[in-house]
Amino acid sequence: MDPKDPVAVAQALIRCESVTPAEGGAQALLESLLAPLGFAVARPTFSEPDTPDVANLYARRGEGPAFVFAGHTDVVPPGDLARWREGPFSGVIVDGELHGRGAVDMKGAVACMVAAVARRPEAAPVAFLITGDEEGPSINGTSKLLEWAAGRGERFSACLLGEPTNPEALGDVAKIGRRGSLSAVVTLQGAQGHVAYPHLADNPLRRLGPALAALMDEPLDEGTAHFQPSHLEVVGVESGTGAFNVIPASATLQFNVRFNDRHTPDSLKALLTDRLAKALGPDAFAIAFQPRPGEAFLTAPGAFVDLVSDAVEAETGRRPALTTGGGTSDARFIKSYCPVVEFGLVGQTMHQVDERVAVADLETLTRIYERALVAACG
């Protein structure tokens, strides 16, 4: 296939059944396309106990700090195959749209990156940072690939990450940061007993109301210049033995916080623990924060953000809004190594049945990436 053709590359990638954490042939395909373009390609696999092994790809062309295209080849499961109008791994084009799992998130964007560098063989240095673990636990993917590359002396000037950022049309939004994410389980302590003898028991559910109020009633902040206010949501409450005549010994609640750059995971842990202690007493609860929280970060508006925005505006006629909303992404790892901006396809069908992308958008996104590459590499 012609690596300059993003549609052909995207079709081939979609036909690789790389449901996370399976490689499915997608990274082997990328290697076959990038190596003839002068890229030195490495495909390290990373492991950790109790997690799946994950294949990753790092490709580099040219000398010096590299401009990086980053993304992932793993996709979420297709769900009920019978509900798909076209097969989830068919890669067929119907009415000007390319169908298949990953068309938007984010094999389509990866194909555009390949096509952009294929059209600009003189642009150097440039690198690809591709993981198979973005849709999974994100343990054996981008974070370890970055450490691996840094350990070999690789240095990066800036990174363009191809997550689907646009809500309605190509050119709507570029993401210059992401909120952090912190999760925890709170256990409310009590003593089990018979409901007819409550004086012999201690019902932990009586503490549920004060616990919810302590966590959710007072705002965490009022937001910042580039971030909306942080917010905490309780996502689960569990208690009981299944019997109507038994007071439970404990109750648990689960929560997640999406927070802005006024906080760090450690400062939030201290704040929330203190709120609960004041509301319940220090011995009435236990809190267990989940490992590997995401940190909030911002790529401040400046030369690189302008470079990406200029490329988008030149090809779409729209200057993208600069936002930090949405969930987490692998940008949270990349930001520690170089400035990172996210810009990709329209995300309306990502993770859905009949995921699809307009063929015209693949060509436009390729030209945007090509402009950014040339501007970044001089």
Side-chain angles (χ1 to χ4, degrees):
M1 86 189 64
D2 182 359
K4 299 184 184 71
D5 181 356
V7 178
V9 176
Q11 285 180 296
L13 285 172
I14 288 169
R15 289 166 182 158
C16 298
E17 297 189 23
S18 53
V19 175
T20 194
E23 186 271 334
Q27 292 179 17
L29 172 64
L30 291 178
E31 181 178 12
S32 74
L33 295 172
L34 294 173
L37 298 175
F39 283 83
V41 181
R43 293 173 57 194
T45 295
F46 301 119
S47 303
E48 190 163 314
D50 302 318
T51 65
D53 292 354
V54 173
N56 300 273
L57 181 144
Y58 180 75
R60 126 90 76 167
R61 184 176 71 187
E63 301 297 326
F67 179 77
V68 181
F69 285 114
H72 60 91
T73 52
D74 62 320
V75 297
V76 297
D80 184 357
L81 301 182
R83 295 181 58 205
W84 285 74
R85 183 172 55 186
E86 310 295 337
F89 304 108
S90 63
V92 300
I93 296 172
V94 179
D95 296 330
E97 294 181 314
L98 173 60
H99 288 246
R101 178 60 83 223
V104 172
D105 190 12
M106 59 168 285
K107 290 180 175 181
V110 170
C112 295
M113 295 169 180
V114 172
V117 299
R119 295 177 186 184
R120 291 290 181 170
E122 75 284 359
V126 61
F128 280 81
L129 195 77
I130 305 294
T131 186
D133 191 30
E134 199 276 342
E135 301 290 7
S138 297
I139 292 173
N140 293 319
T142 296
S143 60
K144 289 187 177 179
L145 186 58
L146 286 161
E147 293 172 3
W148 176 92
R152 285 155 178 76
E154 296 292 324
R155 298 294 181 266
F156 311 125
S157 59
C159 177
L160 191 48
L161 176 60
E163 288 292 341
T165 57
N166 296 284
E168 300 290 340
L170 208 62
D172 284 345
V173 167
K175 293 196 175 182
I176 60 171
R178 291 276 187 162
R179 295 174 297 173
S181 176
L182 177 68
S183 297
V185 177
V186 177
T187 301
L188 305 175
Q189 314 288 7
Q192 185 172 315
H194 197 297
V195 294
Y197 303 93
H199 60 289
L200 300 177
D202 180 11
N203 193 339
L205 290 170
R206 294 182 179 275
R207 300 184 184 91
L208 182 59
L212 292 173
L215 291 172
M216 301 180 72
D217 279 4
E218 183 181 349
L220 293 169
D221 56 66
E222 300 301 322
T224 66
H226 294 286
F227 287 88
Q228 65 191 73
S230 303
H231 74 277
L232 182 152
E233 294 294 337
V234 172
V235 297
V237 176
E238 293 185 2
S239 186
T241 65
F244 285 96
N245 60 349
V246 179
I247 294 171
S250 64
T252 62
L253 62 88
Q254 300 168 287
F255 70 80
N256 177 263
V257 192
R258 297 302 167 105
F259 60 92
N260 60 39
D261 56 351
R262 292 189 61 178
H263 306 276
T264 67
D266 285 343
S267 70
L268 267 181
K269 290 177 183 179
L271 173 63
L272 297 172
T273 302
D274 182 63
R275 285 189 179 184
L276 288 169
K278 289 179 178 177
L280 304 174
D283 299 324
F285 72 98
I287 186 166
F289 292 97
Q290 301 302 292
R292 298 184 178 90
E295 292 192 22
F297 73 93
L298 177 72
T299 299
F304 180 52
V305 173
D306 287 345
L307 179 154
V308 176
S309 298
D310 290 346
V312 173
E313 186 174 23
E315 294 297 338
T316 67
R318 293 184 292 278
R319 196 159 188 86
L322 305 178
T323 74
T324 57
T328 59
S329 76
D330 279 356
R332 69 189 188 273
F333 306 123
I334 300 168
K335 56 87 178 172
S336 299
Y337 294 81
C338 66
V340 55
V341 171
E342 299 177 57
F343 187 81
L345 293 162
V346 177
Q348 289 184 349
T349 63
M350 59 181 174
H351 292 203
Q352 295 183 12
V353 169
D354 291 334
E355 182 177 351
R356 60 198 181 275
V357 62
V359 168
D361 281 358
L362 293 173
E363 176 58 34
T364 302
L365 185 61
T366 298
R367 295 197 304 269
I368 290 169
Y369 287 164
E370 188 179 355
R371 281 182 178 272
L373 174 63
V374 171
C377 293

